[in-house]
Amino acid sequence: MKISDFCLPKTDNMANSSTKLTINIVKQKNTNKLGTRCSSEQNRTAHHHGGEEEMLSSRSIWLAAGLSAIATSAAYASAPVVVYVSPNPLGVNEYLKGGAAGAQAVAAELGGTAKVFESVDPITRKRDLDAAAREGAKYVVSIGFEFSDLLAPIAKSNPNTTFIAIDYCPKDRGDNIYCVTFREYEVSFLAGAEAGWMKPGGGFAAIGGVDIPLIHRYTDAFLAGVMHASPDAAVRPVQWVGGSNPFSDPARASQIAQSLYFDGVDTIIAAAGASGEGVVDAAKSMPGKTVVMPDINHCPSAPAAILDNVEKRADVAIEISVRAAEKKELKPDTVLGLKEGGVALTTTSEAIKPSQCLAATDKDIVAKVEQLRKDIIDGKVSVADPAAAK
């Protein structure tokens, strides 16, 4: 290898950032100007043994400097830009905020940078997806079914960008779209068993937003978990919020919940988005009645009424998928469950102590839930996917 291999030729195009970085690093290695040093090294002729030793030493120094510059330049060039696009402003939505935190964490881990685009409607969602790709993102991460009809055409127009769809998967997708979904039914079953152990022989119900396969992963699996833990429990048919705003109608959900509570139901799982707050209000107004909430830890808002939460970890999903993509190991479809940490009960997570969930107060129940969690992961207890039958 010649010294001149590491001496950059003089060109008019020096705008490339990696080239600039290489020049800067080499200059830091030697106080002489780069052009002068290269010229002197290229023209040097060894005439005696001492000159040969000096030449060898100089070559070693420049070899080390050159390799360091190349490695650092390559690292700089590959540092990923991760853009997280949310369907709505983050605001107080802890689920969406969790996704943003995951994007920022994995970008920092990989030595890159993260940006967050907060959309507000279909127009801005489409615009933000397109802008993320045009601004040079290596990974564009979108979260939520709101992007289902928007992602495919934008991904097709940006074939060199990797698009990661969290918690949804568009029907028509190209090779640069990767879907990450969850096995919600595993954690919902676990929550049902926990509820059954907390109130053996009690009454249990489920309220969903609309009757679609995804929601059955919460409602049906929860009731199946109840029966696993308490075979003599009274299980009611699933109730649906329905109407024009099934996921944003807490008043309607509260009315349904009150009727169920008055009819002897002790615990309800709410799988109806913001409508679930109406179920919490109903439980708070009737001492002894409890509710299981979705996606995040809601317990601090009503510690006397919320039994537990079936958490869906957007942060974990984004960290796992981007990390795998960077290693060229991301599959077109990734499904995360209890084993991968993509879903979890609040009482079995690291946040159990400050969770303020009712279930966390009973150590014996927590231990039984933890054992069941391990049995599901190990395959000793099989949990059926209700959506598969819909």
Side-chain angles (χ1 to χ4, degrees):
M1 184 175 290
K2 300 178 181 179
I3 299 173
S4 58
D5 290 341
F6 294 103
C7 294
L8 298 177
K10 294 181 180 180
T11 65
D12 294 330
N13 181 15
M14 297 298 287
N16 184 275
S17 58
S18 61
T19 302
K20 288 183 178 179
L21 183 62
T22 302
I23 293 174
N24 290 338
I25 291 176
V26 172
K27 281 186 177 180
Q28 292 173 3
K29 295 290 184 179
N30 194 312
T31 56
N32 292 331
K33 291 184 178 179
L34 183 61
T36 302
R37 183 64 176 177
C38 287
S39 176
S40 62
E41 293 293 353
Q42 289 167 345
N43 295 329
R44 179 178 297 167
T45 303
H47 297 290
H48 53 77
H49 183 69
E52 291 177 353
E53 290 182 348
E54 181 181 357
M55 187 68 170
L56 179 61
S57 175
S58 178
R59 286 179 176 177
S60 299
I61 292 172
W62 271 87
L63 177 61
L67 291 175
S68 175
I70 291 172
T72 306
S73 178
Y76 176 87
S78 64
V81 174
V82 181
V83 177
Y84 171 74
V85 186
S86 69
N88 299 295
L90 302 186
V92 294
N93 189 320
E94 296 299 325
Y95 179 61
L96 296 181
K97 288 168 69 175
Q104 292 164 348
V106 74
E109 174 188 321
L110 298 174
T113 57
K115 297 180 181 180
V116 176
F117 290 178
E118 301 180 51
S119 309
V120 296
D121 55 31
I123 295 176
T124 56
R125 289 170 196 144
K126 181 179 180 180
R127 180 198 65 194
D128 289 345
L129 283 175
D130 188 59
R134 290 180 180 277
E135 289 184 17
K138 185 175 184 179
Y139 304 109
V140 176
V141 183
S142 54
I143 183 169
F145 67 90
E146 294 91 342
F147 292 101
S148 295
D149 297 328
L150 303 174
L151 183 60
I154 293 175
K156 185 176 181 179
S157 299
N158 298 276
N160 296 323
T161 302
T162 296
F163 292 85
I164 300 175
I166 303 293
D167 209 11
Y168 78 102
C169 194
K171 293 182 179 179
D172 300 320
R173 53 172 170 149
D175 295 337
N176 61 334
I177 295 180
Y178 298 82
C179 299
V180 183
T181 54
F182 302 89
R183 296 192 295 274
E184 298 94 345
Y185 53 93
E186 291 182 348
V187 67
S188 298
F189 181 92
L190 194 61
E194 179 183 56
W197 283 321
M198 291 288 290
K199 195 75 173 181
F204 302 88
I207 297 177
V210 290
D211 186 356
I212 58 174
L214 173 61
I215 303 302
H216 282 275
R217 284 185 160 186
Y218 292 92
T219 58
D220 297 15
F222 173 80
L223 297 177
V226 168
M227 297 305 295
H228 173 85
S230 181
D232 59 342
V235 173
R236 307 301 175 86
V238 178
Q239 300 292 305
W240 307 103
V241 176
S244 58
N245 295 295
F247 294 99
S248 300
D249 194 344
R252 188 180 179 92
S254 181
Q255 292 175 354
I256 298 172
Q258 288 179 25
S259 177
L260 289 168
Y261 285 139
F262 276 123
D263 200 29
V265 167
D266 298 293
T267 302
I268 299 172
I269 185 172
S275 295
E277 295 301 328
V279 183
V280 174
D281 290 340
K284 288 167 62 176
S285 68
M286 303 176 70
K289 304 300 183 180
T290 59
V291 58
V292 173
M293 291 291 283
D295 297 341
I296 62 168
N297 179 18
H298 297 266
C299 292
S301 66
I306 300 179
L307 187 70
D308 210 335
N309 309 277
V310 287
E311 295 189 20
K312 191 152 54 175
R313 299 293 302 274
D315 57 336
V316 172
I318 293 173
E319 290 176 32
I320 287 176
S321 57
V322 173
R323 194 179 295 126
E326 192 72 358
K327 296 179 180 179
K328 309 298 183 185
E329 297 175 355
L330 183 60
K331 299 178 180 179
D333 294 280
T334 300
V335 185
L336 305 177
L338 292 173
K339 181 178 181 179
E340 299 82 7
V343 296
L345 281 182
T346 302
T347 52
T348 59
S349 70
E350 297 177 357
I352 179 173
K353 292 183 178 179
S355 72
Q356 300 184 50
C357 295
L358 281 174
T361 62
D362 192 319
K363 294 182 179 180
D364 292 336
I365 297 298
V366 170
K368 294 177 73 172
V369 171
E370 176 59 24
Q371 184 58 54
L372 178 58
R373 186 186 73 87
K374 292 179 179 178
D375 288 344
I376 293 173
I377 291 174
D378 295 339
K380 296 179 180 178
V381 174
S382 179
V383 180
D385 179 4
K390 302 298 179 182

